């Protein structure tokens, strides 16, 4: 353990030293390094897939949940998508040096607040190797050093990805320590990172509830908290039913293993008799199982769709599967009350043609993202135009919702005088 601690702290110290260099790099230099990463990923698809296959085979052999295996898996198509997202980051404006506010005092003193890098950004995350690349390129573009601690289940993939990215940025005269994989694959290495307050500026956990709670509750390093996604969709009495079916199907079935997948569907009682048969026909074709109130049982059985009576756990669950909790509610107020009780503050959506109901829902729901007549699957950095994302924050500090380049910055004040002295 002593040797591991020394290794982890040495890696963090190297990242800290590199951060001082990165904050001085120009946009041209950073963009060239990010584009080099994108090109290198595409040039090494076969190598990455081979390394990833080792992790995937081990996960399957260990009985890992299929949804987690899906998050872990990289194929050529996914790698090209990751590389394209990196290239999109290079094309985005550089936030560093942006003027947040500026003014001149009556005494002539000029005050400017400008964006600066955070420094060393540590990512602690599970399964998803795409996060390795997203975190690296967003950190690099925003002038931060990335200290990456992925899960042991993706170790072979992450080692190869970091090696490829380090070689790519080195070809553009960037220090390899700008992208560093934390040594070790035990929980102890995470604990060491969480204690390195003098070397790590911020830590971002991304994964399941247990991982996030551990980091939030035990880290000595400041934390930007990401959250699990118990996402809700409310279908209002004034909804276009065909639109509602499309959104409910896409939100739930497009990709079940992600945090912005729909987990709870609430339907206004006034349209339930007409809407539910249409929805269940579509859900049956997708293999969805309903966990709902007892009054839904007959409608489910008539549609030939699997049904289970919902428990308290169902209202709180993030399923990662083709399961969904469902309730018929008397009005929008009941839907809002249900969401207030069970939401994790990630994404909630409403389908309605009523501007009044949409405005009421948007003002009443306090989540990081609120959708009106759109799928919950759009809560994503790439879909928001960020190129990639570092995670989706459900906290209420400076970063909330999908986190892109600006969320990886802080600010500093630059004060310019002409020999000013204070009386």
């Amino acid at each position: 353990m002593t040797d591991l601690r020394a290794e982890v702290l040495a890696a963090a110290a190297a990242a800290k030293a590199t951060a001082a260099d990165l904050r001085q790099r120009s946009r041209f230099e950073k963009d060239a390094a990010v584009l080099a990463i994108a090109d290198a990923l595409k040039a090494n698809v076969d190598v990455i897939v081979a390394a990833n296959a080792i992790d995937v085979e081990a996960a399957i052999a260990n009985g890992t949940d299929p949804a987690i295996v899906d998050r872990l898996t990289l194929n050529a198509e996914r790698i090209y998508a990751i590389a394209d997202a990196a290239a999109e980051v290079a094309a985005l404006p550089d936030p560093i040096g942006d003027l947040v506010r500026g003014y001149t005092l009556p005494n002539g003193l000029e005050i400017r607040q400008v964006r600066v890098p955070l420094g060393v950004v540590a990512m602690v995350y599970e399964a998803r190797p795409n996060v390795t690349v997203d975190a690296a390129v967003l950190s690099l573009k925003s002038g931060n050093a990335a200290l990456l601690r992925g899960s042991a289940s993706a170790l072979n993939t992450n080692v190869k990805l970091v090696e490829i990215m380090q070689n790519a940025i080195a070809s553009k005269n960037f220090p390899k320590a700008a992208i560093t994989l934390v040594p070790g694959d035990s929980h102890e290495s995470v604990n060491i990172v969480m204690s390195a307050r003098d070397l790590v500026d911020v830590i971002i956990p991304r994964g399941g509830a247990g991982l996030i709670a551990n980091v939030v509750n035990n880290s000595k390093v400041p934390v930007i908290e990401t959250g699990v996604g118990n996402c809700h969709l409310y279908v209002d009495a004034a909804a276009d039913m065909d639109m509602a079916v499309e959104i409910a199907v896409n939100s739930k079935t497009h990709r079940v293993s992600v945090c912005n997948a729909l987990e709870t569907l609430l339907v206004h009682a006034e349209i339930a008799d007409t809407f539910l048969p249409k929805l269940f026909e579509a859900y049956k074709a997708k293999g969805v199982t309903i966990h709902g109130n007892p009054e839904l049982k007959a409608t489910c059985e008539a549609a030939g769709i699997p049904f289970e009576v919902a428990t308290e756990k169902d209202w709180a669950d993030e399923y990662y599967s083709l399961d969904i909790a469902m309730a018929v509610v008397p009005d929008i107020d009941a839907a809002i009350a249900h969401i207030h009780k069970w939401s994790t503050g990630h994404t909630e959506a409403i389908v309605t043609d009523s501007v009044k109901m949409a405005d009421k829902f948007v003002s009443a729901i306090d989540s990081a993202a609120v959708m009106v007549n759109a799928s919950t699957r759009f809560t994503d950095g790439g879909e928001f135009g960020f190129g990639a994302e570092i995670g989706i924050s459900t906290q209420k500090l400076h970063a909330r919702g999908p986190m892109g380049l600006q969320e990886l910055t802080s600010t500093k004040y630059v004060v310019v005088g002409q020999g000013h002295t204070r009386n």
Side-chain angles (χ1 to χ4, degrees):
M1 187 174 75
T2 302
D3 290 342
L4 177 61
R5 181 173 183 81
E7 288 181 39
V8 172
L9 293 180
K16 187 74 170 180
T18 299
D21 171 17
L22 295 178
R23 68 173 54 245
Q24 301 176 65
R25 295 294 185 123
S26 69
R27 173 179 179 174
F28 175 81
E29 291 175 290
K30 292 185 291 186
D31 287 350
V34 171
L35 289 173
I37 287 174
D39 291 341
L41 293 172
K42 292 181 178 180
N44 287 277
V45 167
D46 292 342
V47 174
I48 298 168
V49 169
N52 181 249
I54 298 172
D55 292 329
V56 171
E57 289 170 11
I60 293 171
N62 290 332
T64 303
D65 186 294
I68 304 301
V69 174
D70 176 62
R71 289 187 174 195
L72 175 62
T73 301
L74 292 181
N75 53 30
E77 181 181 2
R78 288 185 178 181
I79 294 168
Y80 270 89
I82 292 168
D84 287 341
E88 288 176 16
V89 169
L92 293 172
D94 185 351
I96 302 305
D98 280 355
L99 180 67
V100 177
R101 56 181 169 175
Y103 49 91
T104 302
L105 296 176
N107 64 3
L109 204 62
E110 297 177 2
I111 311 291
R112 287 183 289 129
Q113 185 184 18
V114 297
R115 292 196 179 278
V116 296
L118 291 169
V120 176
V121 176
M123 283 289 300
V124 179
Y125 52 103
E126 294 174 328
R128 301 175 66 167
N130 65 294
V131 175
T132 303
V133 178
D134 291 349
V137 298
L138 285 169
S139 295
L140 193 63
K141 171 84 177 191
S142 54
N144 297 292
L147 194 60
L148 308 173
R149 175 53 170 85
S151 60
S153 62
L155 182 60
N156 291 285
T157 310
N158 287 336
V159 166
K160 186 55 62 178
L161 287 172
V162 170
E163 176 188 316
I164 290 167
M165 291 191 292
Q166 286 180 331
N167 289 335
I169 65 173
S171 73
K172 300 299 180 181
N173 298 315
F174 275 73
K176 289 185 175 182
I179 305 170
T180 302
L181 196 63
V182 174
D185 58 2
S186 67
H187 290 300
E188 181 58 29
S189 63
V190 177
N191 294 336
I192 297 167
V193 172
M194 290 193 298
S195 70
R197 188 177 178 88
D198 55 335
L199 299 174
V200 179
D201 294 288
V202 67
I203 185 167
I204 304 173
R206 183 170 173 180
L211 168 70
I212 294 167
N214 177 50
V215 174
V216 170
N217 293 330
N218 297 304
S219 179
K220 295 180 181 178
V221 175
V223 177
I224 298 177
E225 182 179 355
T226 63
V228 295
N230 183 11
C231 301
H232 295 73
L233 170 65
Y234 166 60
V235 179
D236 185 50
D240 178 305
M241 292 193 195
D242 291 335
M243 178 195 293
V245 169
E246 289 185 17
I247 289 174
V249 170
N250 182 261
S251 296
K252 177 69 260 183
T253 69
H254 182 254
R255 193 172 177 193
V256 298
S257 64
V258 290
C259 62
N260 56 22
L262 178 63
E263 307 296 358
T264 299
L265 178 62
L266 306 171
V267 179
H268 195 294
E270 187 176 311
I271 63 165
D273 289 345
T274 305
F275 173 70
L276 290 178
K278 292 183 178 182
L279 175 68
F280 289 165
E281 182 181 357
Y283 269 180
K284 181 182 179 182
K286 295 289 187 177
V288 175
T289 295
I290 307 298
H291 301 253
N293 291 337
E295 56 265 31
L296 289 172
K297 183 177 181 181
T299 309
C300 286
E301 289 178 345
I305 192 168
F307 173 81
E308 297 180 16
V309 175
T311 64
E312 291 280 292
K313 183 176 182 295
D314 286 303
W315 303 123
D317 257 354
E318 189 177 17
Y319 287 109
Y320 301 123
S321 65
L322 285 167
D323 293 80
I324 189 167
M326 187 179 297
V328 175
V329 294
D331 51 36
I332 190 173
D333 292 318
I336 291 169
H338 181 102
I339 293 169
H340 282 171
K341 182 175 181 180
W342 297 107
S343 172
T344 55
H346 191 292
T347 301
E348 327 302 343
I350 182 174
V351 180
T352 185
D353 285 340
S354 166
V355 173
K356 179 180 179 181
M357 292 299 102
D359 288 346
K360 179 173 183 174
F361 189 85
V362 169
S363 64
I365 297 300
D366 187 21
S367 292
V370 182
M371 305 289 181
V372 177
N373 296 331
S375 170
T376 62
R377 288 284 287 118
F378 283 106
T379 306
D380 176 271
E383 296 296 328
F384 277 22
F386 298 167
E389 69 179 25
I390 203 81
I392 297 174
S393 172
T394 54
Q395 66 174 17
K396 297 185 181 182
L397 300 180
H398 88 286
R400 195 180 189 199
M403 293 184 287
L405 294 171
Q406 286 196 357
E407 287 72 30
L408 291 179
T409 67
S410 181
T411 64
K412 71 179 178 185
Y413 285 93
V414 178
V415 181
V416 179
Q418 296 177 342
H420 283 69
T421 58
R422 183 172 177 176
N423 294 328

